Amino acid sequence: DIQMTQSPSSLSASVGDRVTITCRASQSISSYLNWYQQKPGKAPKLLIYAASSLQSGVPSRFSGSGSGTDFTLTISSLQPEDFATYYCQQSYSTPVTFGPGTKVDIK
Amino acid sequence: EVQLVESGGGLVKPGGSLRLSCAASGFTFSSYSMNWVRQAPGKGLEWVSSISSSSSYIYYADSVKGRFTISRDNAKNSLYLQMNSLRAEDTAVYYCAREVRGSVTAIRYFDLWGRGTLVTVSS
């Protein structure tokens, strides 16, 4: 199985900050990397698919980049509604696997 | 409205069984592969099982293989997860999720999720 890691595991940031979350795969997964946002008590929500494609309806302050083993999710200007946990997911092979998550909270 | 609604969760004793359901509406259910993903309390997301649109391809996580069975009824727009020989470590919120697959590339992602149903395995 492909192992996914994320860093940092948590971060504190202020509204307006630029936030970057990193995701690393244990082997090359090309661009088969997705990002999800999850708020407490809610289902995950797809933000980015195929490493850099923005899901319909997701604000443009979210962007993704990377290929191979290293990927990043960037929030260009953090908004109050962005405080949540973010997960990466590889879809290169079955089983699909998720990273452990990065919790973004208010500084 | 496009949505997925899970049901069937509850409290069950170790070794017991439970059947989860996921009702789909607002889209052509029979055109999509579907998945179950779970989340233990305070933990991350774990993929459990997937089933192709026509039930031809079925996959399981090693942690549930031989104990869980995924199925679907396209006429009823419903997805199911039969869970047997339940263990304490199966305690989690179980989500059903719609899978989108690229027509040309191998891209796939989960674009629609239900709210989840809680399964608690405890004596």
Side-chain angles (χ1 to χ4, degrees), chain A residues 32 34 36 38 42-44 46 49-50 87 89 91 93-96 98, chain B residues 37 39 43-47 59 95 105-111 113-114:
Chain A
Y32 300 120
N34 309 313
Y36 300 86
Q38 187 179 34
K42 302 294 186 182
L46 177 69
Y49 63 92
Y87 295 93
Q89 176 207 34
S91 59
S93 65
T94 300
V96 298
F98 293 88
Chain B
V37 177
Q39 186 170 37
K43 302 298 184 182
L45 301 169
E46 179 189 17
W47 172 81
Y59 303 95
Y95 296 101
T105 68
I107 290 171
R108 52 180 170 148
Y109 49 90
F110 301 167
D111 73 326
W113 297 64

PDB file of all heavy atoms in Angstrom, chain A residues 32 34 36 38 42-44 46 49-50 87 89 91 93-96 98, chain B residues 37 39 43-47 59 95 105-111 113-114:
ATOM      1  N   TYR A  32      -1.956  11.760  -9.271  1.00  0.00           N
ATOM      2  CA  TYR A  32      -3.195  11.195  -8.728  1.00  0.00           C
ATOM      3  C   TYR A  32      -3.324  11.501  -7.245  1.00  0.00           C
ATOM      4  O   TYR A  32      -3.290  10.615  -6.387  1.00  0.00           O
ATOM      5  CB  TYR A  32      -3.256   9.702  -9.020  1.00  0.00           C
ATOM      6  CG  TYR A  32      -3.218   9.406 -10.501  1.00  0.00           C
ATOM      7  CD1 TYR A  32      -2.201   8.639 -11.056  1.00  0.00           C
ATOM      8  CD2 TYR A  32      -4.195   9.918 -11.344  1.00  0.00           C
ATOM      9  CE1 TYR A  32      -2.165   8.394 -12.425  1.00  0.00           C
ATOM     10  CE2 TYR A  32      -4.164   9.674 -12.710  1.00  0.00           C
ATOM     11  CZ  TYR A  32      -3.142   8.911 -13.234  1.00  0.00           C
ATOM     12  OH  TYR A  32      -3.103   8.672 -14.586  1.00  0.00           O
ATOM     13  N   ASN A  34      -5.487  13.975  -4.416  1.00  0.00           N
ATOM     14  CA  ASN A  34      -6.664  14.804  -4.142  1.00  0.00           C
ATOM     15  C   ASN A  34      -6.555  15.405  -2.755  1.00  0.00           C
ATOM     16  O   ASN A  34      -5.899  14.854  -1.870  1.00  0.00           O
ATOM     17  CB  ASN A  34      -7.931  13.958  -4.238  1.00  0.00           C
ATOM     18  CG  ASN A  34      -8.014  13.153  -5.519  1.00  0.00           C
ATOM     19  OD1 ASN A  34      -7.780  13.673  -6.613  1.00  0.00           O
ATOM     20  ND2 ASN A  34      -8.313  11.868  -5.399  1.00  0.00           N
ATOM     21  N   TYR A  36      -8.946  17.130   0.482  1.00  0.00           N
ATOM     22  CA  TYR A  36     -10.264  17.273   1.080  1.00  0.00           C
ATOM     23  C   TYR A  36     -10.169  18.167   2.303  1.00  0.00           C
ATOM     24  O   TYR A  36      -9.161  18.176   3.009  1.00  0.00           O
ATOM     25  CB  TYR A  36     -10.834  15.915   1.494  1.00  0.00           C
ATOM     26  CG  TYR A  36     -11.001  14.945   0.349  1.00  0.00           C
ATOM     27  CD1 TYR A  36      -9.946  14.140  -0.059  1.00  0.00           C
ATOM     28  CD2 TYR A  36     -12.206  14.845  -0.338  1.00  0.00           C
ATOM     29  CE1 TYR A  36     -10.084  13.257  -1.124  1.00  0.00           C
ATOM     30  CE2 TYR A  36     -12.359  13.960  -1.399  1.00  0.00           C
ATOM     31  CZ  TYR A  36     -11.293  13.176  -1.787  1.00  0.00           C
ATOM     32  OH  TYR A  36     -11.439  12.301  -2.842  1.00  0.00           O
ATOM     33  N   GLN A  38     -12.243  18.960   5.931  1.00  0.00           N
ATOM     34  CA  GLN A  38     -13.271  18.438   6.829  1.00  0.00           C
ATOM     35  C   GLN A  38     -13.400  19.336   8.049  1.00  0.00           C
ATOM     36  O   GLN A  38     -12.418  19.624   8.724  1.00  0.00           O
ATOM     37  CB  GLN A  38     -12.967  17.010   7.271  1.00  0.00           C
ATOM     38  CG  GLN A  38     -14.111  16.386   8.070  1.00  0.00           C
ATOM     39  CD  GLN A  38     -13.830  14.964   8.505  1.00  0.00           C
ATOM     40  OE1 GLN A  38     -12.693  14.599   8.806  1.00  0.00           O
ATOM     41  NE2 GLN A  38     -14.876  14.140   8.542  1.00  0.00           N
ATOM     42  N   LYS A  42     -18.683  17.107  10.322  1.00  0.00           N
ATOM     43  CA  LYS A  42     -19.155  17.155   8.936  1.00  0.00           C
ATOM     44  C   LYS A  42     -18.418  16.148   8.076  1.00  0.00           C
ATOM     45  O   LYS A  42     -17.353  15.656   8.434  1.00  0.00           O
ATOM     46  CB  LYS A  42     -18.953  18.557   8.361  1.00  0.00           C
ATOM     47  CG  LYS A  42     -19.652  19.657   9.126  1.00  0.00           C
ATOM     48  CD  LYS A  42     -21.163  19.537   9.050  1.00  0.00           C
ATOM     49  CE  LYS A  42     -21.843  20.737   9.699  1.00  0.00           C
ATOM     50  NZ  LYS A  42     -23.325  20.610   9.662  1.00  0.00           N
ATOM     51  N   ALA A  43     -18.989  15.871   6.906  1.00  0.00           N
ATOM     52  CA  ALA A  43     -18.332  14.998   5.947  1.00  0.00           C
ATOM     53  C   ALA A  43     -17.180  15.735   5.266  1.00  0.00           C
ATOM     54  O   ALA A  43     -17.184  16.963   5.173  1.00  0.00           O
ATOM     55  CB  ALA A  43     -19.329  14.531   4.897  1.00  0.00           C
ATOM     56  N   PRO A  44     -16.201  14.999   4.785  1.00  0.00           N
ATOM     57  CA  PRO A  44     -15.142  15.632   3.989  1.00  0.00           C
ATOM     58  C   PRO A  44     -15.723  16.272   2.731  1.00  0.00           C
ATOM     59  O   PRO A  44     -16.750  15.832   2.199  1.00  0.00           O
ATOM     60  CB  PRO A  44     -14.227  14.468   3.633  1.00  0.00           C
ATOM     61  CG  PRO A  44     -14.491  13.444   4.677  1.00  0.00           C
ATOM     62  CD  PRO A  44     -15.943  13.576   4.999  1.00  0.00           C
ATOM     63  N   LEU A  46     -14.467  17.705  -1.141  1.00  0.00           N
ATOM     64  CA  LEU A  46     -13.395  17.725  -2.136  1.00  0.00           C
ATOM     65  C   LEU A  46     -13.023  19.154  -2.492  1.00  0.00           C
ATOM     66  O   LEU A  46     -13.883  19.967  -2.822  1.00  0.00           O
ATOM     67  CB  LEU A  46     -13.848  16.977  -3.391  1.00  0.00           C
ATOM     68  CG  LEU A  46     -12.868  16.969  -4.568  1.00  0.00           C
ATOM     69  CD1 LEU A  46     -11.640  16.124  -4.244  1.00  0.00           C
ATOM     70  CD2 LEU A  46     -13.561  16.449  -5.830  1.00  0.00           C
ATOM     71  N   TYR A  49      -8.574  18.042  -7.114  1.00  0.00           N
ATOM     72  CA  TYR A  49      -8.346  16.698  -7.621  1.00  0.00           C
ATOM     73  C   TYR A  49      -7.243  16.723  -8.681  1.00  0.00           C
ATOM     74  O   TYR A  49      -6.948  17.775  -9.250  1.00  0.00           O
ATOM     75  CB  TYR A  49      -9.633  16.074  -8.179  1.00  0.00           C
ATOM     76  CG  TYR A  49     -10.213  16.800  -9.378  1.00  0.00           C
ATOM     77  CD1 TYR A  49      -9.882  16.430 -10.675  1.00  0.00           C
ATOM     78  CD2 TYR A  49     -11.104  17.854  -9.195  1.00  0.00           C
ATOM     79  CE1 TYR A  49     -10.412  17.089 -11.762  1.00  0.00           C
ATOM     80  CE2 TYR A  49     -11.645  18.525 -10.279  1.00  0.00           C
ATOM     81  CZ  TYR A  49     -11.292  18.126 -11.562  1.00  0.00           C
ATOM     82  OH  TYR A  49     -11.817  18.789 -12.642  1.00  0.00           O
ATOM     83  N   ALA A  50      -6.656  15.590  -8.893  1.00  0.00           N
ATOM     84  CA  ALA A  50      -5.551  15.474  -9.855  1.00  0.00           C
ATOM     85  C   ALA A  50      -4.466  16.512  -9.586  1.00  0.00           C
ATOM     86  O   ALA A  50      -3.941  17.140 -10.511  1.00  0.00           O
ATOM     87  CB  ALA A  50      -6.076  15.567 -11.285  1.00  0.00           C
ATOM     88  N   TYR A  87      -7.031  16.826   4.383  1.00  0.00           N
ATOM     89  CA  TYR A  87      -6.481  15.501   4.091  1.00  0.00           C
ATOM     90  C   TYR A  87      -6.073  15.396   2.629  1.00  0.00           C
ATOM     91  O   TYR A  87      -6.828  15.825   1.746  1.00  0.00           O
ATOM     92  CB  TYR A  87      -7.515  14.401   4.357  1.00  0.00           C
ATOM     93  CG  TYR A  87      -7.944  14.248   5.792  1.00  0.00           C
ATOM     94  CD1 TYR A  87      -9.059  14.915   6.283  1.00  0.00           C
ATOM     95  CD2 TYR A  87      -7.240  13.412   6.669  1.00  0.00           C
ATOM     96  CE1 TYR A  87      -9.467  14.757   7.600  1.00  0.00           C
ATOM     97  CE2 TYR A  87      -7.634  13.261   7.983  1.00  0.00           C
ATOM     98  CZ  TYR A  87      -8.755  13.937   8.438  1.00  0.00           C
ATOM     99  OH  TYR A  87      -9.142  13.778   9.749  1.00  0.00           O
ATOM    100  N   GLN A  89      -5.146  12.556  -0.413  1.00  0.00           N
ATOM    101  CA  GLN A  89      -5.541  11.181  -0.759  1.00  0.00           C
ATOM    102  C   GLN A  89      -4.887  10.803  -2.081  1.00  0.00           C
ATOM    103  O   GLN A  89      -4.970  11.560  -3.052  1.00  0.00           O
ATOM    104  CB  GLN A  89      -7.058  11.091  -0.931  1.00  0.00           C
ATOM    105  CG  GLN A  89      -7.569   9.737  -1.387  1.00  0.00           C
ATOM    106  CD  GLN A  89      -8.887   9.844  -2.156  1.00  0.00           C
ATOM    107  OE1 GLN A  89      -9.118  10.814  -2.883  1.00  0.00           O
ATOM    108  NE2 GLN A  89      -9.761   8.864  -2.005  1.00  0.00           N
ATOM    109  N   SER A  91      -4.911   8.414  -5.331  1.00  0.00           N
ATOM    110  CA  SER A  91      -5.825   7.548  -6.071  1.00  0.00           C
ATOM    111  C   SER A  91      -5.077   6.821  -7.192  1.00  0.00           C
ATOM    112  O   SER A  91      -5.686   6.384  -8.169  1.00  0.00           O
ATOM    113  CB  SER A  91      -6.987   8.358  -6.627  1.00  0.00           C
ATOM    114  OG  SER A  91      -6.509   9.386  -7.484  1.00  0.00           O
ATOM    115  N   SER A  93      -3.381   3.978  -6.833  1.00  0.00           N
ATOM    116  CA  SER A  93      -3.590   2.545  -6.760  1.00  0.00           C
ATOM    117  C   SER A  93      -4.559   2.206  -5.639  1.00  0.00           C
ATOM    118  O   SER A  93      -4.740   2.997  -4.702  1.00  0.00           O
ATOM    119  CB  SER A  93      -2.255   1.820  -6.519  1.00  0.00           C
ATOM    120  OG  SER A  93      -1.730   2.154  -5.266  1.00  0.00           O
ATOM    121  N   THR A  94      -5.159   1.039  -5.739  1.00  0.00           N
ATOM    122  CA  THR A  94      -6.065   0.534  -4.703  1.00  0.00           C
ATOM    123  C   THR A  94      -5.257  -0.300  -3.720  1.00  0.00           C
ATOM    124  O   THR A  94      -4.478  -1.160  -4.160  1.00  0.00           O
ATOM    125  CB  THR A  94      -7.179  -0.317  -5.338  1.00  0.00           C
ATOM    126  OG1 THR A  94      -7.918   0.505  -6.248  1.00  0.00           O
ATOM    127  CG2 THR A  94      -8.116  -0.876  -4.277  1.00  0.00           C
ATOM    128  N   PRO A  95      -5.393  -0.104  -2.412  1.00  0.00           N
ATOM    129  CA  PRO A  95      -6.365   0.771  -1.779  1.00  0.00           C
ATOM    130  C   PRO A  95      -5.978   2.240  -1.878  1.00  0.00           C
ATOM    131  O   PRO A  95      -4.809   2.585  -1.713  1.00  0.00           O
ATOM    132  CB  PRO A  95      -6.347   0.315  -0.324  1.00  0.00           C
ATOM    133  CG  PRO A  95      -4.953  -0.155  -0.115  1.00  0.00           C
ATOM    134  CD  PRO A  95      -4.557  -0.819  -1.418  1.00  0.00           C
ATOM    135  N   VAL A  96      -6.970   3.102  -2.139  1.00  0.00           N
ATOM    136  CA  VAL A  96      -6.686   4.524  -2.013  1.00  0.00           C
ATOM    137  C   VAL A  96      -6.357   4.776  -0.546  1.00  0.00           C
ATOM    138  O   VAL A  96      -6.915   4.136   0.346  1.00  0.00           O
ATOM    139  CB  VAL A  96      -7.883   5.398  -2.459  1.00  0.00           C
ATOM    140  CG1 VAL A  96      -8.193   5.157  -3.927  1.00  0.00           C
ATOM    141  CG2 VAL A  96      -9.111   5.147  -1.603  1.00  0.00           C
ATOM    142  N   PHE A  98      -5.301   7.815   2.540  1.00  0.00           N
ATOM    143  CA  PHE A  98      -5.351   9.205   2.946  1.00  0.00           C
ATOM    144  C   PHE A  98      -4.140   9.542   3.820  1.00  0.00           C
ATOM    145  O   PHE A  98      -3.609   8.673   4.529  1.00  0.00           O
ATOM    146  CB  PHE A  98      -6.616   9.460   3.769  1.00  0.00           C
ATOM    147  CG  PHE A  98      -7.899   9.341   3.001  1.00  0.00           C
ATOM    148  CD1 PHE A  98      -8.528   8.105   2.883  1.00  0.00           C
ATOM    149  CD2 PHE A  98      -8.484  10.450   2.417  1.00  0.00           C
ATOM    150  CE1 PHE A  98      -9.720   7.983   2.180  1.00  0.00           C
ATOM    151  CE2 PHE A  98      -9.676  10.337   1.714  1.00  0.00           C
ATOM    152  CZ  PHE A  98     -10.292   9.103   1.595  1.00  0.00           C
TER     153      PHE A  98
ATOM    154  N   VAL B  37     -16.087   4.836   3.311  1.00  0.00           N
ATOM    155  CA  VAL B  37     -14.916   5.372   3.999  1.00  0.00           C
ATOM    156  C   VAL B  37     -15.308   5.542   5.462  1.00  0.00           C
ATOM    157  O   VAL B  37     -16.421   5.986   5.750  1.00  0.00           O
ATOM    158  CB  VAL B  37     -14.479   6.721   3.406  1.00  0.00           C
ATOM    159  CG1 VAL B  37     -13.293   7.305   4.186  1.00  0.00           C
ATOM    160  CG2 VAL B  37     -14.119   6.571   1.928  1.00  0.00           C
ATOM    161  N   GLN B  39     -14.232   6.689   9.666  1.00  0.00           N
ATOM    162  CA  GLN B  39     -13.403   7.582  10.487  1.00  0.00           C
ATOM    163  C   GLN B  39     -13.657   7.245  11.953  1.00  0.00           C
ATOM    164  O   GLN B  39     -14.743   7.508  12.482  1.00  0.00           O
ATOM    165  CB  GLN B  39     -13.747   9.037  10.200  1.00  0.00           C
ATOM    166  CG  GLN B  39     -12.849  10.038  10.886  1.00  0.00           C
ATOM    167  CD  GLN B  39     -13.083  11.444  10.369  1.00  0.00           C
ATOM    168  OE1 GLN B  39     -14.203  11.841  10.071  1.00  0.00           O
ATOM    169  NE2 GLN B  39     -12.002  12.221  10.263  1.00  0.00           N
ATOM    170  N   LYS B  43      -9.948  10.345  14.794  1.00  0.00           N
ATOM    171  CA  LYS B  43      -8.898   9.851  13.891  1.00  0.00           C
ATOM    172  C   LYS B  43      -9.123  10.320  12.457  1.00  0.00           C
ATOM    173  O   LYS B  43     -10.050  11.073  12.176  1.00  0.00           O
ATOM    174  CB  LYS B  43      -8.866   8.315  13.939  1.00  0.00           C
ATOM    175  CG  LYS B  43      -8.636   7.740  15.330  1.00  0.00           C
ATOM    176  CD  LYS B  43      -7.298   8.157  15.913  1.00  0.00           C
ATOM    177  CE  LYS B  43      -7.045   7.493  17.260  1.00  0.00           C
ATOM    178  NZ  LYS B  43      -5.751   7.934  17.855  1.00  0.00           N
ATOM    179  N   GLY B  44      -8.255   9.852  11.565  1.00  0.00           N
ATOM    180  CA  GLY B  44      -8.323  10.236  10.178  1.00  0.00           C
ATOM    181  C   GLY B  44      -9.249   9.349   9.355  1.00  0.00           C
ATOM    182  O   GLY B  44      -9.976   8.505   9.884  1.00  0.00           O
ATOM    183  N   LEU B  45      -9.209   9.545   8.057  1.00  0.00           N
ATOM    184  CA  LEU B  45     -10.076   8.827   7.133  1.00  0.00           C
ATOM    185  C   LEU B  45      -9.430   7.527   6.687  1.00  0.00           C
ATOM    186  O   LEU B  45      -8.237   7.475   6.390  1.00  0.00           O
ATOM    187  CB  LEU B  45     -10.346   9.712   5.909  1.00  0.00           C
ATOM    188  CG  LEU B  45     -11.016  11.052   6.204  1.00  0.00           C
ATOM    189  CD1 LEU B  45     -10.977  11.944   4.975  1.00  0.00           C
ATOM    190  CD2 LEU B  45     -12.440  10.846   6.676  1.00  0.00           C
ATOM    191  N   GLU B  46     -10.240   6.481   6.622  1.00  0.00           N
ATOM    192  CA  GLU B  46      -9.773   5.172   6.173  1.00  0.00           C
ATOM    193  C   GLU B  46     -10.737   4.627   5.132  1.00  0.00           C
ATOM    194  O   GLU B  46     -11.924   4.417   5.419  1.00  0.00           O
ATOM    195  CB  GLU B  46      -9.667   4.190   7.347  1.00  0.00           C
ATOM    196  CG  GLU B  46      -9.201   2.796   6.919  1.00  0.00           C
ATOM    197  CD  GLU B  46      -9.295   1.760   8.028  1.00  0.00           C
ATOM    198  OE1 GLU B  46     -10.003   2.000   9.028  1.00  0.00           O
ATOM    199  OE2 GLU B  46      -8.676   0.686   7.890  1.00  0.00           O
ATOM    200  N   TRP B  47     -10.235   4.380   3.945  1.00  0.00           N
ATOM    201  CA  TRP B  47     -11.064   3.741   2.910  1.00  0.00           C
ATOM    202  C   TRP B  47     -11.376   2.310   3.317  1.00  0.00           C
ATOM    203  O   TRP B  47     -10.501   1.597   3.820  1.00  0.00           O
ATOM    204  CB  TRP B  47     -10.326   3.779   1.577  1.00  0.00           C
ATOM    205  CG  TRP B  47     -10.999   2.988   0.504  1.00  0.00           C
ATOM    206  CD1 TRP B  47     -12.058   3.380  -0.275  1.00  0.00           C
ATOM    207  CD2 TRP B  47     -10.654   1.671   0.084  1.00  0.00           C
ATOM    208  NE1 TRP B  47     -12.386   2.367  -1.148  1.00  0.00           N
ATOM    209  CE2 TRP B  47     -11.545   1.310  -0.941  1.00  0.00           C
ATOM    210  CE3 TRP B  47      -9.696   0.749   0.479  1.00  0.00           C
ATOM    211  CZ2 TRP B  47     -11.500   0.076  -1.584  1.00  0.00           C
ATOM    212  CZ3 TRP B  47      -9.638  -0.478  -0.148  1.00  0.00           C
ATOM    213  CH2 TRP B  47     -10.540  -0.809  -1.169  1.00  0.00           C
ATOM    214  N   TYR B  59     -13.620  -4.163  -4.178  1.00  0.00           N
ATOM    215  CA  TYR B  59     -12.358  -4.163  -3.451  1.00  0.00           C
ATOM    216  C   TYR B  59     -12.620  -3.879  -1.977  1.00  0.00           C
ATOM    217  O   TYR B  59     -13.574  -3.188  -1.622  1.00  0.00           O
ATOM    218  CB  TYR B  59     -11.407  -3.103  -4.024  1.00  0.00           C
ATOM    219  CG  TYR B  59     -11.115  -3.265  -5.488  1.00  0.00           C
ATOM    220  CD1 TYR B  59     -11.841  -2.558  -6.448  1.00  0.00           C
ATOM    221  CD2 TYR B  59     -10.117  -4.134  -5.928  1.00  0.00           C
ATOM    222  CE1 TYR B  59     -11.579  -2.722  -7.793  1.00  0.00           C
ATOM    223  CE2 TYR B  59      -9.850  -4.287  -7.285  1.00  0.00           C
ATOM    224  CZ  TYR B  59     -10.589  -3.580  -8.206  1.00  0.00           C
ATOM    225  OH  TYR B  59     -10.329  -3.732  -9.548  1.00  0.00           O
ATOM    226  N   TYR B  95     -18.957   6.681   6.122  1.00  0.00           N
ATOM    227  CA  TYR B  95     -19.442   7.542   5.056  1.00  0.00           C
ATOM    228  C   TYR B  95     -19.552   6.749   3.754  1.00  0.00           C
ATOM    229  O   TYR B  95     -18.661   5.947   3.440  1.00  0.00           O
ATOM    230  CB  TYR B  95     -18.467   8.683   4.801  1.00  0.00           C
ATOM    231  CG  TYR B  95     -18.263   9.650   5.938  1.00  0.00           C
ATOM    232  CD1 TYR B  95     -17.139   9.571   6.751  1.00  0.00           C
ATOM    233  CD2 TYR B  95     -19.167  10.690   6.177  1.00  0.00           C
ATOM    234  CE1 TYR B  95     -16.924  10.473   7.779  1.00  0.00           C
ATOM    235  CE2 TYR B  95     -18.960  11.601   7.205  1.00  0.00           C
ATOM    236  CZ  TYR B  95     -17.847  11.478   7.994  1.00  0.00           C
ATOM    237  OH  TYR B  95     -17.637  12.384   9.017  1.00  0.00           O
ATOM    238  N   THR B 105      -7.950   9.478 -18.531  1.00  0.00           N
ATOM    239  CA  THR B 105      -6.866   9.162 -17.607  1.00  0.00           C
ATOM    240  C   THR B 105      -7.397   8.327 -16.447  1.00  0.00           C
ATOM    241  O   THR B 105      -8.592   8.076 -16.348  1.00  0.00           O
ATOM    242  CB  THR B 105      -6.243  10.438 -17.042  1.00  0.00           C
ATOM    243  OG1 THR B 105      -7.203  11.071 -16.196  1.00  0.00           O
ATOM    244  CG2 THR B 105      -5.833  11.387 -18.155  1.00  0.00           C
ATOM    245  N   ALA B 106      -6.504   7.935 -15.560  1.00  0.00           N
ATOM    246  CA  ALA B 106      -6.888   7.124 -14.405  1.00  0.00           C
ATOM    247  C   ALA B 106      -7.263   7.981 -13.207  1.00  0.00           C
ATOM    248  O   ALA B 106      -7.317   7.493 -12.095  1.00  0.00           O
ATOM    249  CB  ALA B 106      -5.741   6.190 -14.047  1.00  0.00           C
ATOM    250  N   ILE B 107      -7.525   9.249 -13.457  1.00  0.00           N
ATOM    251  CA  ILE B 107      -7.935  10.132 -12.363  1.00  0.00           C
ATOM    252  C   ILE B 107      -9.197   9.602 -11.707  1.00  0.00           C
ATOM    253  O   ILE B 107     -10.119   9.164 -12.377  1.00  0.00           O
ATOM    254  CB  ILE B 107      -8.190  11.550 -12.902  1.00  0.00           C
ATOM    255  CG1 ILE B 107      -6.878  12.202 -13.320  1.00  0.00           C
ATOM    256  CG2 ILE B 107      -8.908  12.403 -11.875  1.00  0.00           C
ATOM    257  CD1 ILE B 107      -7.073  13.501 -14.060  1.00  0.00           C
ATOM    258  N   ARG B 108      -9.224   9.642 -10.386  1.00  0.00           N
ATOM    259  CA  ARG B 108     -10.453   9.328  -9.669  1.00  0.00           C
ATOM    260  C   ARG B 108     -10.448  10.071  -8.348  1.00  0.00           C
ATOM    261  O   ARG B 108      -9.390  10.271  -7.754  1.00  0.00           O
ATOM    262  CB  ARG B 108     -10.627   7.817  -9.446  1.00  0.00           C
ATOM    263  CG  ARG B 108      -9.449   7.121  -8.816  1.00  0.00           C
ATOM    264  CD  ARG B 108      -9.710   5.646  -8.638  1.00  0.00           C
ATOM    265  NE  ARG B 108      -8.510   4.937  -8.247  1.00  0.00           N
ATOM    266  CZ  ARG B 108      -8.497   3.868  -7.458  1.00  0.00           C
ATOM    267  NH1 ARG B 108      -9.618   3.386  -6.988  1.00  0.00           N
ATOM    268  NH2 ARG B 108      -7.360   3.286  -7.160  1.00  0.00           N
ATOM    269  N   TYR B 109     -11.613  10.435  -7.906  1.00  0.00           N
ATOM    270  CA  TYR B 109     -11.750  11.180  -6.664  1.00  0.00           C
ATOM    271  C   TYR B 109     -13.172  11.042  -6.165  1.00  0.00           C
ATOM    272  O   TYR B 109     -14.071  10.635  -6.888  1.00  0.00           O
ATOM    273  CB  TYR B 109     -11.383  12.659  -6.861  1.00  0.00           C
ATOM    274  CG  TYR B 109     -12.040  13.326  -8.048  1.00  0.00           C
ATOM    275  CD1 TYR B 109     -13.265  13.957  -7.923  1.00  0.00           C
ATOM    276  CD2 TYR B 109     -11.415  13.340  -9.288  1.00  0.00           C
ATOM    277  CE1 TYR B 109     -13.868  14.569  -9.009  1.00  0.00           C
ATOM    278  CE2 TYR B 109     -12.007  13.950 -10.386  1.00  0.00           C
ATOM    279  CZ  TYR B 109     -13.233  14.571 -10.241  1.00  0.00           C
ATOM    280  OH  TYR B 109     -13.829  15.174 -11.319  1.00  0.00           O
ATOM    281  N   PHE B 110     -13.356  11.388  -4.886  1.00  0.00           N
ATOM    282  CA  PHE B 110     -14.659  11.267  -4.238  1.00  0.00           C
ATOM    283  C   PHE B 110     -15.288  12.655  -4.160  1.00  0.00           C
ATOM    284  O   PHE B 110     -14.874  13.483  -3.349  1.00  0.00           O
ATOM    285  CB  PHE B 110     -14.502  10.680  -2.839  1.00  0.00           C
ATOM    286  CG  PHE B 110     -13.860   9.307  -2.797  1.00  0.00           C
ATOM    287  CD1 PHE B 110     -13.425   8.778  -1.596  1.00  0.00           C
ATOM    288  CD2 PHE B 110     -13.683   8.548  -3.939  1.00  0.00           C
ATOM    289  CE1 PHE B 110     -12.839   7.518  -1.528  1.00  0.00           C
ATOM    290  CE2 PHE B 110     -13.093   7.286  -3.895  1.00  0.00           C
ATOM    291  CZ  PHE B 110     -12.674   6.778  -2.679  1.00  0.00           C
ATOM    292  N   ASP B 111     -16.283  12.903  -4.983  1.00  0.00           N
ATOM    293  CA  ASP B 111     -16.799  14.259  -5.081  1.00  0.00           C
ATOM    294  C   ASP B 111     -18.074  14.499  -4.289  1.00  0.00           C
ATOM    295  O   ASP B 111     -18.513  15.645  -4.144  1.00  0.00           O
ATOM    296  CB  ASP B 111     -17.025  14.644  -6.550  1.00  0.00           C
ATOM    297  CG  ASP B 111     -18.233  13.951  -7.149  1.00  0.00           C
ATOM    298  OD1 ASP B 111     -18.523  12.790  -6.778  1.00  0.00           O
ATOM    299  OD2 ASP B 111     -18.890  14.572  -8.000  1.00  0.00           O
ATOM    300  N   TRP B 113     -20.203  13.152  -0.701  1.00  0.00           N
ATOM    301  CA  TRP B 113     -20.161  12.344   0.512  1.00  0.00           C
ATOM    302  C   TRP B 113     -21.487  12.476   1.254  1.00  0.00           C
ATOM    303  O   TRP B 113     -22.103  13.537   1.246  1.00  0.00           O
ATOM    304  CB  TRP B 113     -19.050  12.826   1.445  1.00  0.00           C
ATOM    305  CG  TRP B 113     -17.660  12.706   0.914  1.00  0.00           C
ATOM    306  CD1 TRP B 113     -17.125  13.361  -0.166  1.00  0.00           C
ATOM    307  CD2 TRP B 113     -16.600  11.919   1.457  1.00  0.00           C
ATOM    308  NE1 TRP B 113     -15.803  13.020  -0.339  1.00  0.00           N
ATOM    309  CE2 TRP B 113     -15.456  12.138   0.653  1.00  0.00           C
ATOM    310  CE3 TRP B 113     -16.502  11.048   2.540  1.00  0.00           C
ATOM    311  CZ2 TRP B 113     -14.228  11.509   0.911  1.00  0.00           C
ATOM    312  CZ3 TRP B 113     -15.287  10.430   2.805  1.00  0.00           C
ATOM    313  CH2 TRP B 113     -14.160  10.658   1.995  1.00  0.00           C
ATOM    314  N   GLY B 114     -21.881  11.411   1.929  1.00  0.00           N
ATOM    315  CA  GLY B 114     -23.006  11.512   2.832  1.00  0.00           C
ATOM    316  C   GLY B 114     -22.564  12.085   4.170  1.00  0.00           C
ATOM    317  O   GLY B 114     -21.378  12.377   4.382  1.00  0.00           O
TER     318      GLY B 114
END
